[in-house]
Amino acid sequence: MTLSPERAPATAGTRRLTRTLYASAFCDEFVLLYPVYALLFSDTGLSVWQISSLFALWSLTGVLLEVPSGAWADAVSRRLLLVLGPLLTAAGFALWVLVPSYGAFALGFVLWGTGGALGSGALEALVYDELDRAGAADRYARVMGRARAVGIAATMTAMGLAGPVFAWGGYGAVGAASVLVCLAGAAVATRFPEHREPSAGGPGWTATLRAGLADARTDRSVRGALLLVPAVTAVWGALDEYTPLLALDTGVAEETVPWLLLVIWAGATVGSLLAGAADRLTATGFAALLTGSALALAVGAAAGTPAALVLVGLAFGGFQLATVLADARLQRRIDDTGRATLTSVAGLGTELGTLATYGAYAVASSATGHGTAFALAAVPYLLTALALATVARATAAAARARP
């Protein structure tokens, strides 16, 4: 096992970067509309099919813009895109509460999807490059793990506050609070340090995109790291939408479901915080992490009891940890010129994998129930772990045979 180099001491620049990152992560997820926007759509008179079409439009926007926005981030200022993203999202949320209608909801989702795409790839690239410039690139997994933990904590806090705020001021109050936190997120993003200065006469975003994709095709290590991100992120990223249904299927009352969800997401938070310590994992260790998490998911979901959801929380912690580590491995294998582009390519793979998981889950849960559907979702992780272990053995054998 190769150990990470000794960590460089924190500097004023890295402290500013990490503080800004954590504040940005909190603002991104502390959105009081999250728990109630589906109710807003329903109360406006939308049918289930109309609501589903809005979610599909949201996903489609992300799929179409994910890679072009990453290439744009490599061609222009990444900080600029991180400022623009929350502003677009704020505009979308304002439309929802000011002129609630199907058209306004659709435009809001397009704006939200666009804002998310602008930040995807740009954030990871900016953080890695700034850490690398400070001689602290080995801290990337730890820093991003903590940022994800802050985001989860913000989501859980928003879920707790949404009810009282909604009871006090209705959709207008939660909408106004959501717009304000997005504006705060844009203001925070202006504090990101960015020493990378794209030249005015440099290649456009289309040329940057072609160059980034060429690197992925020609460099086997980059291609493997690129494929690993959606392999570990897509499935559990889709499953989190169904955790309330899994919890309800254990036989508890509806008012107990939020408490069980806290158990599951506590596991994900712990997984994020362990990223720095686990950054030394070899490919074999990574495969073992995926295997253990997959087995915990299968056993915990299939048991059908509230206590067994602790295992699901353990599995989510392992998958969250694997997600951060996969991103860190990708960042180490790509260079600055195409970093945001290839990170966005990985994000596109995750989006497509998530959409496929939604479809597969709908089929499986309709036929077998939520517990079995969750258990079946462990299979892709076992296959990924097997592939990683196989590659690790082949690499070790080749190293031994080398004179």
Side-chain angles (χ1 to χ4, degrees):
M1 178 171 64
T2 302
L3 298 181
S4 301
E6 185 178 352
R7 298 188 183 277
T11 64
T14 58
R15 285 194 293 269
R16 173 184 169 185
L17 172 67
T18 54
R19 290 169 182 169
T20 304
L21 174 64
Y22 300 154
S24 178
F26 186 88
C27 291
D28 283 347
E29 300 299 335
F30 186 66
V31 178
L32 271 62
L33 266 173
Y34 284 174
V36 300
Y37 65 72
L39 299 178
L40 171 62
F41 302 158
S42 179
D43 289 346
T44 305
L46 270 60
S47 67
V48 174
W49 283 105
Q50 287 177 310
I51 295 174
S52 298
S53 70
L54 291 174
F55 292 153
L57 178 62
W58 185 25
S59 297
L60 182 61
T61 302
V63 167
L64 293 177
L65 297 180
E66 182 76 36
V67 176
S69 66
W72 190 25
D74 280 330
V76 300
S77 167
R78 292 163 179 167
R79 180 173 57 198
L80 173 63
L81 270 60
L82 294 176
V83 173
L84 290 177
L87 294 178
L88 292 176
T89 303
F93 290 160
L95 278 175
W96 286 2
V97 295
L98 292 176
V99 284
S101 62
Y102 182 84
F105 297 148
L107 180 56
F109 267 123
V110 170
L111 290 170
W112 189 5
T114 303
L118 290 180
S120 177
L123 177 66
E124 294 86 350
L126 184 148
V127 171
Y128 188 90
D129 283 345
E130 290 299 316
L131 288 173
D132 189 36
R133 180 180 179 276
D138 60 314
R139 294 185 180 189
Y140 178 80
R142 180 187 298 271
V143 168
M144 293 303 291
R146 289 177 176 175
R148 290 177 183 270
V150 169
I152 294 172
T155 299
M156 295 166 65
T157 304
M159 291 174 64
L161 290 177
V165 174
F166 180 77
W168 171 71
Y171 293 117
V174 294
S178 301
V179 169
L180 288 175
V181 80
C182 288
L183 296 177
V188 167
T190 65
R191 296 287 300 159
F192 274 114
E194 185 178 27
H195 293 87
R196 170 184 172 274
E197 293 290 344
S199 59
W205 73 266
T206 54
T208 304
L209 174 58
R210 288 194 297 269
L213 295 177
D215 286 343
R217 287 194 301 268
T218 57
D219 191 324
R220 184 177 180 181
S221 66
V222 172
R223 188 166 62 250
L226 196 65
L227 293 173
L228 184 61
V229 172
V232 302
T233 306
V235 175
W236 87 275
L239 289 181
D240 70 15
E241 302 290 347
Y242 302 103
T243 49
L245 301 177
L246 177 68
L248 194 60
D249 259 13
T250 63
V252 299
E254 289 186 357
E255 56 268 24
T256 307
V257 169
W259 296 105
L260 295 179
L261 296 184
L262 287 177
V263 172
I264 294 175
W265 287 105
T269 304
V270 172
S272 294
L273 295 175
L274 291 175
D279 197 26
R280 302 179 176 211
L281 281 179
T282 62
T284 302
F286 201 105
L289 171 65
L290 289 181
T291 300
S293 301
L295 293 177
L297 176 67
V299 173
T305 64
L309 293 184
V310 173
L311 290 176
V312 177
L314 181 64
F316 271 41
F319 295 144
Q320 177 71 286
L321 174 58
T323 296
V324 177
L325 296 182
D327 173 47
R329 291 177 183 221
L330 175 62
Q331 300 304 325
R332 284 195 290 265
R333 284 166 173 77
I334 54 183
D335 58 32
D336 170 64
T337 56
R339 187 177 305 283
T341 299
L342 290 181
T343 303
S344 290
V345 170
L348 174 61
T350 299
E351 290 282 355
L352 294 175
T354 299
L355 288 173
T357 303
Y358 286 149
Y361 187 92
V363 173
S365 62
S366 298
T368 63
H370 295 290
T372 303
F374 265 74
L376 291 173
V379 174
Y381 289 107
L382 294 175
L383 295 177
T384 301
L386 178 61
L388 284 172
T390 302
V391 170
R393 285 195 298 269
T395 302
R400 288 194 298 268
R402 191 176 301 122

